[in-house]
Amino acid sequence: MLAVSEAVALSALARKESRGAHSRVDYPNYDDKWGKENNVVSREGSEMRLKQLPIAETPSELKQILDDPK
């Protein structure tokens, strides 16, 4: 649980915006950058490393399902 807590804290500190359930009083607005990137935290030895990776484009067949008004 400590490793997960550290990963969540690293990610939250790096994400300088408020979006959905992630809320920061020092950064109350959306940042368009974060709509295109995800934080990825991994352990390297005894340290946690944070990097941002672009969000993969939604496959066209999934977009069709999501866009269907049913």
Side-chain angles (χ1 to χ4, degrees), residues 21-35:
H22 180 85
S23 179
R24 289 187 58 160
V25 295
D26 53 344
Y27 295 97
N29 301 315
Y30 279 166
D31 181 344
D32 288 336
K33 170 190 167 194
W34 289 108

Side-chain angles (χ1 to χ4, degrees), residues 1-11 41-43 46-49:
M1 287 190 336
L2 289 173
V4 172
S5 297
E6 184 179 356
V8 169
L10 282 171
S11 181
V41 181
S42 59
R43 182 184 300 271
S46 63
E47 299 209 13
M48 300 292 267
R49 300 284 182 187

Side-chain angles (χ1 to χ4, degrees), residues 2-69:
L2 289 173
V4 172
S5 297
E6 184 179 356
V8 169
L10 282 171
S11 181
L13 287 170
R15 190 171 187 133
K16 294 181 171 41
E17 70 151 5
S18 292
R19 183 185 298 259
H22 180 85
S23 179
R24 289 187 58 160
V25 295
D26 53 344
Y27 295 97
N29 301 315
Y30 279 166
D31 181 344
D32 288 336
K33 170 190 167 194
W34 289 108
K36 299 176 181 114
E37 292 183 340
N38 281 327
N39 281 339
V40 176
V41 181
S42 59
R43 182 184 300 271
E44 293 181 13
S46 63
E47 299 209 13
M48 300 292 267
R49 300 284 182 187
L50 172 74
K51 59 185 170 186
Q52 284 82 30
L53 295 176
I55 294 174
E57 187 172 336
T58 305
S60 59
E61 60 274 9
L62 182 55
K63 280 184 186 178
Q64 289 176 337
I65 293 168
L66 294 171
D67 292 339
D68 190 355

